[in-house]
Each structure stands twice: as structure tokens, then as C-alpha cells.
């Protein structure tokens, strides 16, 4: 379970995240949406432990995996890029196939396109078990097919590990298909919190209604 109380992140005078209370149940998948700069990455980085809060408390599971917004590759081919996280070769092959990267398995990972690189980063993260998975815009660089593959891989990982998942996203398709719950951030504050379908079809306030109207399906 994640339990957040009075969590704040400030830069100088500016408060970029302010969450009085948020609880995420074990095994729940939460999508985080909101405009650029609304605090999605800040919340994920605070939960990952990479960023220090300006106040408040966070209770979370011990084994956390975090995939940053900017995908990256290490030297060597795609297989090496997955196995260096610690899994064996057959698991790396399986994940690369699942993300439709098998044909590129022996290519230099640094030569991949943005969407391919993002899928490779996901393979590396999903090759290890965890209790809390944090994904920052995992379909941000993907085309429609790539996004579908990412969504399927997240769903499979969830059913295999039973982990809790937080995914920041600009994709309503991802929120609807990979998450049980959707939170919308507005300038660092939670503006809406509920089932993705309900928020998408009947937003609870005017700001959310306006935000959802601009969301492409
Ligand atoms: N190191 C920093 N110094 C000052 N402001 C920052 C820093 N990091 C992030 N911010 C600000 O915090 C706000 C939230 O950023 P972020 O969490 O990355 O938003 P999102 O992921 O929703 O686009 C933004 O306005 C951003 O400019
Ligand atoms: Mg971000």
C-alpha cells in the first residue's frame, strides 16, 4: 500500500506538488494525468526516492522500479540491454518478442528510434520483479501499435507480480486499458480521482471537464 500524507514539493517560493492525502491499495494500477508541469513526474520521482520532498510522509513498499520519462540505452545490443538488469537470456528474448523487438535483438541499442527505445526501456524494467512499478509516460514516444504492446506488457506484468503500478500518461487509451483508477493533477493538486471510464465520461468538475475535452481518444 502507498500512503501519502501532506506531501509537498517546493522549489523556492513555488509549490509544484501538494497532496494532503492519497492512498493506493496493493495491486492497484493508478494512471496519473494532467497538463505539462502539473506534477506527474515530481510525484513519481518522490515515490522512487530519487527526489526529496519538502514535507509530509510517504509509506510505500520496499522494492520499487522506476522508468523515467526519457528512455535510454546502454552500450551493446538489445539483448544485453535487457539482461544487464539481471534476468536470464530466455526472459530477455520473451520480453523482446512481446514488445515486437525480436528482429532488432542483435542491433546496437543506441541506434533505435524513439518508440523502439521506449519499448526496450520497458523490457529492461519488466525483466525484474517489484512491489511498486513507476512508469513515467511509457507510451509517450510510441505509435498506436507500440502503445498497444506497452499496455499489454504492463497488464501481463501486473497479473504475474501483483505489484502496485503508477503510470503517468497523456493517453486516455492507456488510462482506460491499463489502470483501475485515474488521478488528474492540476498545478500540483489532485483535481479528480476515480474510475477512468467515469472520469472520462462524466468529469466531476468544470476544470476536469475542460481538460478531458482536450484529451484525444
Ligand atoms: N529542479 C527544478 N527546479 C525548479 N522547478 C522544477 C524543477 N523540477 C521541476 N520543476 C517544476 O515543477 C513543475 C512540475 O514538473 P513535472 O513534475 O515534471 O510536471 P509533469 O511531469 O506533470 O509535466 C513544473 O512546473 C516544473 O517546471
Ligand atoms: Mg513529466
Amino acid at each position: 500500500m502507498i500512503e501519502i500524507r501532506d506531501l509537498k514539493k517546493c522549489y523556492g517560493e513555488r509549490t509544484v506538488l501538494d497532496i494532503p492525502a492519497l492512498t493506493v491499495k496493493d495491486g492497484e494500477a493508478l494512471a496519473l494525468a494532467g497538463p505539462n508541469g502539473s506534477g506527474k513526474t515530481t510525484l513519481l520521482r518522490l515515490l522512487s526516492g530519487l527526489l526529496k520532498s519538502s514535507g509530509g510522509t510517504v509509506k510505500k513498499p520496499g522494492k520499487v522500479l522506476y522508468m523515467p520519462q526519457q528512455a535510454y540505452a546502454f552500450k551493446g545490443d538489445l539483448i544485453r540491454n535487457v539482461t544487464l538488469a539481471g534476468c536470464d537470456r530466455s526472459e530477455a528474448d520473451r520480453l523482446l518478442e512481446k514488445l515486437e523487438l525480436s528482429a532488432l535483438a542483435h542491433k546496437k541499442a543506441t541506434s533505435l528510434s524513439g518508440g523502439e527505445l521506449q519499448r526496450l526501456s520497458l523490457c529492461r524494467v519488466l525483466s525484474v520483479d517489484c512491489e511498486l512499478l513507476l512508469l513515467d509516460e511509457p507510451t509517450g514516444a510510441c505509435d498506436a501499435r507500440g502503445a498497444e504492446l506497452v499496455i499489454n506488457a504492463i497488464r501481463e506484468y501486473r497479473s504475474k507480480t501483483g505489484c502496485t503500478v503508477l503510470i503517468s500518461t497523456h493517453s486516455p487509451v492507456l488510462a482506460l486499458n491499463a489502470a483501475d483508477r485515474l488521478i488528474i493533477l492540476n498545478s500540483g493538486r489532485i483535481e479528480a480521482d476515480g474510475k477512468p471510464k467515469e472520469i472520462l465520461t462524466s468529469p466531476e468538475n468544470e476544470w476536469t471537464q475542460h481538460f478531458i475535452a482536450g484529451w484525444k481518444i
Side-chain angles (χ1 to χ4, degrees):
M1 187 153 91
I2 302 174
E3 255 184 53
I4 290 175
R5 293 280 172 270
D6 299 317
L7 184 64
K8 275 196 170 64
K9 181 66 192 176
C10 310
Y11 291 105
E13 296 284 282
R14 191 168 164 236
T15 303
V16 299
L17 195 75
D18 183 359
I19 301 185
L22 174 66
T23 303
V24 185
K25 286 185 278 187
D26 282 340
E28 196 167 32
L30 181 77
L32 278 175
N36 291 142
S38 57
K40 302 179 296 296
T41 296
T42 303
L43 176 56
L44 293 179
R45 294 189 73 220
L46 285 169
L47 286 168
S48 75
L50 287 169
L51 190 65
K52 208 173 160 312
S53 78
S54 308
T57 58
V58 176
K59 281 190 202 152
K60 57 172 182 169
K63 195 165 179 203
V64 183
L65 285 177
Y66 169 64
M67 185 169 105
Q69 196 163 350
Q70 195 60 50
Y72 55 91
F74 295 96
K75 249 170 73 176
D77 65 10
L78 275 62
I79 296 163
R80 176 173 183 272
N81 264 264
V82 181
T83 53
L84 57 74
C87 73
D88 61 21
R89 171 68 193 268
S90 65
E91 177 62 1
D93 286 342
R94 191 189 71 79
L95 284 163
L96 289 171
E97 190 174 347
K98 178 116 193 137
L99 275 300
E100 292 186 356
L101 292 168
S102 295
L104 303 170
H106 297 285
K107 295 257 185 281
K108 257 186 6 194
T110 47
S111 64
L112 293 179
S113 77
E116 291 163 350
L117 186 60
Q118 191 158 44
R119 282 183 278 140
L120 174 65
S121 292
L122 189 73
C123 288
R124 191 163 51 223
V125 169
L126 301 187
S127 69
V128 180
D129 285 359
C130 73
E131 294 164 302
L132 173 59
L133 179 65
L134 306 170
L135 303 172
D136 201 347
E137 296 194 29
T139 61
C142 295
D143 60 16
R145 175 63 184 159
E148 187 184 340
L149 297 170
V150 168
I151 289 168
N152 290 341
I154 296 169
R155 291 171 65 109
E156 183 200 67
Y157 184 84
R158 277 186 73 196
S159 52
K160 194 175 78 175
T161 63
C163 70
T164 308
V165 190
L166 263 75
I167 316 168
S168 88
T169 186
H170 290 294
S171 160
V173 175
L174 190 147
L176 283 167
N177 293 294
D180 314 309
R181 183 176 163 198
L182 171 62
I183 278 182
I184 311 226
L185 289 174
N186 171 15
S187 304
R189 291 187 161 76
I190 295 176
E191 189 75 44
D193 178 355
K195 288 199 167 30
K197 200 167 170 200
E198 282 169 20
I199 295 188
L200 278 154
T201 52
S202 44
E204 60 202 48
N205 59 47
E206 210 175 318
W207 188 92
T208 310
Q209 204 171 2
H210 195 253
F211 174 76
I212 294 294
W215 241 17
K216 298 169 281 196
I217 300 264

